[in-house]
Amino acid sequence: MTEQALDVVQDIPDSADGAGEADFMSRADPYRRELLAHCYRMSGSIHDAEDLVQETYLRAWRGYDNFGERASLRTWLHRIATNVCLTALEGRSRRPLPTGLGAPSSDPTDDLVQRPEVPWLEPMPGTFTDDGHSDDPSDPAVIVTSRDSIRLAFVAALQHLSARQRAVLLLREVLQWRASEVAAALGTTTAAVNSLLQRARAQLNDAEVTRDGLAEPDSAETRELVQRWVDGFENYDIDAIVRMLTEQAVWEMPPFDGWYRGAENIGTLIRVNCPAKGPGDQILIPTVANGQPALGLYMRGEDGQHHPFQLQVLDVVDGRVVHVTAFFEVELFEKFGLPPTPPARV
């Protein structure tokens, strides 16, 4: 039983039957990773998603005696998770990225403005395709946790939708449920589901989201690009960084509300607003976020030591970086398994 499953078991009332508890967890725990992905897509927060999955398991345990096998356990758990998310999202603000605030691109020489009151979108650690599960594209677990369905741009685009539109779109197009199944899960009609789906698709089209052509983080070409990216920052070679960006590349970095378009503007941003001033001030450790190449960047502080500074998530297309989202929530380093201090460079 996983550590997360044990956490759920500890929350189950003491009066619970031991055999029933063990049966429930042995059957339900294999779906944890796809439920986490689903709750993350709904909420836009890995922290919230973990809590929502815990609540899903608690509700499922309490209703397990009445489950009755009328649907598959996977379907039943996703139905509970969706309604848990909808309840949690009532009255909450959406989680945008700076590009989603509606403001034009910023001047890279201007002062940076933080917006800590905004509940910013968060990245999700890792990828779900490297843990020994089936690679069969018809396997529901593969469909639900595919890289395309957790790409950062896709999750950001979902934030343009209402919570119910989000739920309908994910249930219909990611989980591939029938409209009648979605209607039953959400307590509405098939006609209402189809209407919500139509509006959700239109809004995603308006957001101009594309997931085509994004490089996989484990390809040889991407690994080579990431190494050159690391070298560029660690050597403070801004010209090299600019050459790896497309002409219309975008850089954004919550909780700062500005965003920047164009390779030269991004180079200016780094020169003017980055605390690093020379080689050795920055150390980068590659990782993976949302099925995309990512890097934990450590900055040399006044004490001479390197400390967590930002987590960069890269969109790579045809060997060039088209988008960088740099998250300054340093608590994410622990979520991504990144050490509090980087290994020394030799």
Side-chain angles (χ1 to χ4, degrees):
M1 193 176 294
T2 67
E3 181 180 348
Q4 293 90 344
L6 289 172
D7 290 341
V8 173
V9 169
Q10 290 170 359
D11 288 335
I12 291 174
D14 292 338
S15 59
D17 174 73
E21 171 188 306
D23 176 64
F24 169 73
M25 292 312 305
S26 66
R27 295 187 62 195
D29 196 50
Y31 302 110
R32 178 174 294 276
R33 68 172 190 140
E34 56 188 86
L35 291 170
L36 183 64
H38 181 61
C39 292
Y40 169 69
R41 285 186 292 259
M42 283 290 297
S43 67
S45 164
I46 184 58
H47 296 89
D48 289 353
E50 290 172 341
D51 292 340
L52 292 165
V53 170
Q54 292 294 92
E55 178 63 22
T56 295
Y57 274 85
L58 286 171
R59 288 196 192 182
W61 162 249
R62 293 179 183 129
Y64 188 53
D65 287 343
N66 298 319
F67 170 44
E69 309 289 345
R70 289 184 295 274
S72 73
L73 186 63
R74 169 184 275 116
T75 298
W76 185 64
L77 288 171
H78 275 285
R79 177 173 180 167
I80 294 172
T82 301
N83 283 286
V84 165
C85 290
L86 289 173
T87 299
L89 291 170
E90 287 180 4
R92 288 194 188 181
S93 301
R94 65 190 182 94
R95 287 184 172 271
L97 289 173
T99 48
L101 295 179
S105 59
S106 304
D107 185 330
T109 63
D110 286 347
D111 291 339
L112 304 180
V113 178
Q114 289 197 55
R115 296 279 300 279
E117 77 280 6
V118 176
W120 297 104
L121 185 72
E122 296 175 351
M124 185 168 193
T127 177
F128 288 93
T129 59
D130 56 3
D131 58 1
H133 285 71
S134 167
D135 291 326
D136 181 355
S138 65
D139 181 347
V142 173
I143 293 169
V144 173
T145 59
S146 67
R147 282 175 173 155
D148 278 350
S149 73
I150 59 167
R151 296 289 194 188
L152 193 61
F154 177 61
V155 179
L158 291 174
Q159 296 297 308
H160 292 274
L161 310 179
S162 71
R164 286 182 71 82
Q165 286 177 327
R166 227 175 289 172
V168 167
L169 183 82
L170 293 174
L171 294 175
R172 288 284 284 121
E173 300 202 339
V174 177
L175 274 70
Q176 300 185 354
W177 286 16
R178 296 188 298 273
S180 59
E181 293 176 307
V182 177
L186 301 184
T188 187
T189 65
T190 300
V193 165
N194 290 333
S195 177
L196 284 165
L197 180 62
Q198 184 177 16
R199 294 202 300 273
R201 286 171 172 166
Q203 286 187 253
L204 285 190
N205 288 336
D206 289 343
E208 298 181 348
V209 177
T210 177
R211 291 169 280 160
D212 296 335
L214 286 182
E216 303 298 346
D218 50 4
S219 71
E221 182 183 36
T222 302
R223 288 197 301 270
E224 188 272 335
L225 174 69
V226 167
Q227 185 55 57
R228 288 192 287 117
W229 188 262
V230 169
D231 293 342
F233 276 88
E234 294 190 354
N235 296 327
Y236 198 69
D237 188 345
I238 298 175
D239 290 339
I241 296 169
V242 168
R243 287 194 296 270
M244 285 181 272
L245 296 162
T246 61
E247 184 178 347
Q248 292 299 310
V250 169
W251 183 291
E252 54 188 330
M253 45 187 189
F256 300 99
D257 63 3
W259 64 277
Y260 309 87
R261 183 184 295 280
E264 292 300 329
N265 281 333
I266 293 169
T268 300
L269 174 73
I270 296 172
R271 289 187 179 94
V272 173
N273 282 299
C274 178
K277 299 305 176 187
D281 283 350
Q282 302 168 99
I283 293 177
L284 283 75
I285 298 180
T287 183
V288 177
N290 297 75
Q292 299 170 228
L295 303 107
L297 188 154
Y298 299 78
M299 186 70 67
R300 194 197 308 273
E302 293 182 359
D303 59 1
Q305 303 300 310
H306 289 86
H307 303 279
F309 183 68
Q310 65 179 215
L311 182 84
Q312 300 178 357
V313 182
L314 310 184
D315 289 10
V316 178
V317 176
D318 296 332
R320 303 280 293 281
V321 177
V322 301
H323 199 124
V324 180
T325 309
F327 296 90
F328 279 81
E329 186 182 348
V330 295
E331 292 81 5
L332 289 168
F333 276 57
E334 183 177 359
K335 289 285 185 189
F336 279 75
L338 292 166
T341 57
R345 290 288 192 258
V346 294

